[in-house]
Amino acid sequence: MQSAMFLAVQHDCGSMDKNSGNSPKSEEKREKMKRTLLKDWKTRLSYFLQNSSSPGKPKNGKKSKQQTFVKPSPEEAQLWSEAFDELLASKYGLAAFRAFLKSEFCEENIEFWLACEDFKKTKSPQKLSSKARKIYTDFIEKEAPKEINIDFQTKTLIAQNIQEATSGCFTTAQKRVYSLMENNSYPRFLESEFYQDLCKKPQMATEPHAT
């Protein structure tokens, strides 16, 4: 599976260097793997940028402005490394991070966090209750399709809280998932080939002076 390549690419490349030495062929093969991985990342990111906008279809056949994403400059991308919140605040950065988590098979963490952010903005008590039940069945209950990794006590507390849903039903779980992403997935994202590529400044082509 292509996405599995991301987890192993650095390890595989290192193994190739040790096992094959620094021969031109092994180096060429290693660079080809990196280019293939980067191409897969860009394809995956393009998909997320087109499909990660706010839910709802554009009215009157017009494209929603929220579906437009602009590739960040190297300077903007570098800001993402200063704080996890900087990354999440960027639409492009958020889409890139989601693609990264998908490659690590833990996209349920960011999906849960986003669902909680949407949940906290809900004003209607009826909608609050229905959204709370959906979040619980999607992410919290045992054998949930996108079950997140939280302790049993927190799960039990959430099950009790959603009986009379309030905007703070999932606060504890959301904080734990945020911390998990910030301390684990986020540092790995910053080391990823894709992110490093975004941070590279384009080299200026120099023209030879006429003699």
Side-chain angles (χ1 to χ4, degrees):
M1 188 173 179
Q2 280 188 335
S3 59
M5 289 176 58
F6 190 90
L7 289 172
V9 66
Q10 292 184 342
H11 173 75
D12 289 345
C13 289
S15 299
M16 286 169 59
D17 288 342
K18 292 179 181 178
N19 297 333
S20 305
N22 295 320
S23 67
K25 287 186 177 180
S26 65
E27 183 67 21
E28 182 180 348
K29 186 175 181 181
R30 184 156 87 79
E31 291 302 318
K32 186 176 181 181
M33 282 185 65
K34 285 186 177 182
R35 288 194 297 271
T36 301
L37 175 64
L38 191 57
K39 183 177 180 181
D40 179 56
W41 252 97
K42 289 179 177 178
T43 300
R44 188 184 302 281
L45 178 60
S46 177
Y47 171 82
F48 271 93
L49 291 177
Q50 294 174 21
N51 294 277
S52 60
S53 58
S54 298
K57 296 182 180 180
K59 296 181 180 179
N60 302 323
K62 296 181 180 180
K63 291 184 178 180
S64 170
K65 291 182 179 179
Q66 292 179 336
Q67 293 178 335
T68 301
F69 293 83
V70 179
K71 183 178 179 180
S73 66
E75 291 78 14
E76 289 172 327
Q78 288 168 6
L79 288 175
W80 302 347
S81 66
E82 294 184 2
F84 188 37
D85 284 337
E86 290 284 351
L87 174 64
L88 297 180
S90 164
K91 290 183 179 180
Y92 197 103
L94 177 59
F97 188 59
R98 289 182 71 179
F100 173 74
L101 291 182
K102 188 172 181 65
S103 76
E104 290 205 326
F105 306 101
C106 58
E107 66 268 28
E108 68 276 1
N109 289 330
I110 190 64
E111 290 182 10
F112 171 72
W113 185 85
L114 289 170
C116 290
E117 288 295 288
D118 175 70
F119 177 77
K120 289 187 296 186
K121 297 174 184 176
T122 304
K123 303 298 182 182
S124 166
Q126 290 78 15
K127 288 185 178 180
L128 202 67
S129 180
S130 62
K131 285 185 178 182
R133 288 194 297 270
K134 180 169 175 56
I135 292 174
Y136 181 80
T137 55
D138 284 351
F139 300 100
I140 306 299
E141 69 180 0
K142 187 176 181 180
E143 305 298 332
K146 302 176 184 180
E147 187 177 3
I148 57 173
N149 185 19
I150 56 175
D151 61 273
F152 178 76
Q153 288 183 337
T154 302
K155 287 188 175 186
T156 302
L157 179 61
I158 290 173
Q160 295 172 354
N161 288 342
I162 64 171
Q163 301 304 316
E164 295 183 8
T166 66
S167 59
C169 279
F170 303 99
T171 300
T172 300
Q174 187 184 16
K175 287 181 178 179
R176 292 188 181 182
V177 167
Y178 179 95
S179 178
L180 182 66
M181 293 190 295
E182 184 179 33
N183 295 320
N184 293 280
S185 302
Y186 173 56
R188 290 197 298 273
F189 170 77
L190 296 180
E191 294 174 358
S192 70
E193 191 80 16
F194 176 77
Y195 176 69
Q196 295 298 323
D197 182 66
L198 276 179
C199 292
K200 287 181 182 177
K201 295 183 178 180
Q203 295 182 349
M204 300 294 293
T206 56
E207 297 181 0
H209 295 286
T211 56

